[in-house]
Amino acid sequence: MKKILLLLLAGLSLTAAAQHVSVTSKTRLLEGVEGPAYRPVLSPDGSQLLFAAGENGGLKMLDFNSGVVTRVSDTPSAGTDAFWGGDGMVYYVGQERRPNNLVYRTGYAYNPATAQTEVVLEAQHGAVLPVHATRGAALKGSGKSFAKAINRGTAVYTAGAELFITRNGVTRSYTPVPSHAGYLWASLSPDGTRVAFYAAARGICVTDLDGNLLAEIGNYEMPCWYDNDYIIAQNATDDGHQFTSSQILILKADGSFKTALTTPTSMAMQPTAAAGKIVYTTIDGLLYQINISINP
C-alpha cells in the first residue's frame, strides 16, 4: 500500500513537472508612433490598452482594432493609476501642486464610447486609491471618496497593510500576512472569487473573498491575473539605486508552477493581461505584446 501511494505521488509530481508554457508570438506596439510608454493596462476584453505617455505624463489609449491612439488626458500623473471600471469606463487620478506647495488629486471618469470626461471626485490633498470592482468602480480618498455601483458587485483595494474587500455592499478589512511596509496591487480573478496582491517583503499572496490566505506564490511584483488559474508578474532586481534586471513571469495561482516569459536582461516590467494577451513595457518605455501557449 505504501509503495502504491509513493508511485501515485511520483506520478503527480511528474504531471506537475511536465507542465509547459511557451511564448507563441511577440510584437512591438506603437513602434515609431509614440514616445516612451509606461503603466499599460488592458481592457477586460483585450481590445483597448491604456498607457502613460512618459514616466510622469498624461494618459493615452490604443484601440487594437483600429490602431488609433486617443489622448485621454494631459493631466500630470493621469496614467499612473488609471484602470478600467466594471462599467466599461476609464478611471484615473490627476494631480497638481498648488501655491501652498501641497499636492491635490482629482478623480476623473472617461467614457471611451463618447470620448467625454467628467470629474467624479473634487480635488483634495492626500492619497486617492483605485478600487477595482466587478461592477462600477471607486476612488478611495483620505477625505472624500467616490463610488459607483460597487455595492452590486465585488471590489478590492489595499491601504497600508490592509486588504479591503467589498461584497454585497459591505466592506471588510483583512491582514492575511504581516507586512510592515504594506500591501499593493490588489486585483480580482476574472471569475471574481479570489484576490491577488503584493505584500512588501513577502511577495504575491492569493486569498479568497473572506481574506483567507490560499497561497504565497513568490516574492515578485505587480501581479495581474492572466486567467482564473495563472498570474503574470514582474521579477526585478536592483542595486539600491537602479534596476539591474527585470523580467516577466507566469505563476500558477496555487503556487505549484512558475516560469519566465522574458529574460532578466530584457528589462521587461509593469505587465498587464486580459483575454489571452500579455502586454508589458521596458525600462526604456517600449511596449510589447506577447501571446503564450499553456500545455498542462
Side-chain angles (χ1 to χ4, degrees):
M1 183 67 183
K2 183 177 181 181
K3 182 178 180 180
I4 293 173
L5 179 59
L6 289 173
L7 287 172
L8 286 172
L9 290 173
L12 289 172
S13 177
L14 287 172
T15 299
Q19 192 161 23
H20 181 69
V21 176
S22 60
V23 176
T24 58
S25 66
K26 177 181 175 181
T27 306
R28 170 84 183 274
L29 300 177
L30 302 175
E31 185 173 8
V33 178
E34 290 290 329
Y38 298 95
R39 302 274 185 169
V41 184
L42 282 163
S43 60
D45 65 359
S47 67
Q48 295 168 302
L49 179 75
L50 302 174
F51 62 92
E55 292 187 21
N56 297 303
L59 177 63
K60 293 185 177 182
M61 181 180 68
L62 166 66
D63 187 300
F64 283 97
N65 295 321
S66 66
V68 173
V69 174
T70 301
R71 184 179 296 276
V72 176
S73 175
D74 288 323
T75 304
S77 298
T80 301
D81 287 316
F83 67 100
W84 295 89
D87 54 359
M89 300 280 281
V90 173
Y91 293 88
Y92 63 93
V93 177
Q95 65 179 40
E96 61 175 323
R97 187 177 297 276
R98 295 189 175 178
N100 56 11
N101 211 33
L102 296 178
V103 174
Y104 283 77
R105 295 174 177 86
T106 303
Y108 300 89
Y110 172 80
N111 187 334
T114 64
Q116 298 298 307
T117 300
E118 64 174 315
V119 173
V120 295
L121 187 61
E122 296 295 336
Q124 63 179 295
H125 175 56
V128 176
L129 305 173
V131 180
H132 298 269
T134 57
R135 300 282 299 271
L139 295 168
K140 179 68 175 176
S142 53
K144 297 169 288 185
S145 297
F146 160 81
K148 177 183 177 183
I150 64 169
N151 61 332
R152 297 198 299 271
T154 304
V156 295
Y157 71 97
T158 62
E162 290 182 283
L163 171 66
F164 292 85
I165 302 176
T166 299
R167 299 170 68 190
N168 301 317
V170 178
T171 300
R172 292 187 171 90
S173 66
Y174 304 95
T175 307
V177 296
S179 176
H180 296 298
Y183 299 164
L184 291 169
W185 304 309
S187 63
L188 283 161
S189 59
D191 63 6
T193 63
R194 285 163 296 162
V195 180
F197 68 95
Y198 170 78
R202 292 291 291 256
I204 299 172
C205 300
V206 179
T207 74
D208 62 18
L209 296 185
D210 292 315
N212 298 309
L213 183 66
L214 302 178
E216 292 185 69
I217 61 176
N219 194 11
Y220 312 115
E221 309 89 28
M222 303 196 76
C224 60
W225 292 88
Y226 175 75
D227 58 18
N228 291 316
D229 297 315
Y230 291 89
I231 289 171
I232 308 297
Q234 165 188 297
N235 178 27
T237 61
D238 63 78
D239 60 8
H241 302 283
Q242 60 186 5
F243 288 110
T244 55
S245 72
S246 189
Q247 65 184 142
I248 304 302
L249 304 180
I250 184 169
L251 311 102
K252 202 157 189 184
D254 62 6
S256 65
F257 172 84
K258 67 178 179 181
T259 193
L261 300 179
T262 69
T263 64
T265 56
S266 66
M267 300 305 285
M269 53 187 60
Q270 300 174 358
T272 178
K277 292 179 180 177
I278 300 168
V279 174
Y280 63 85
T281 190
T282 68
I283 196 168
D284 298 317
L286 307 181
L287 285 176
Y288 288 91
Q289 175 188 328
I290 59 175
N291 293 83
I292 63 174
S293 172
I294 302 175
N295 299 310

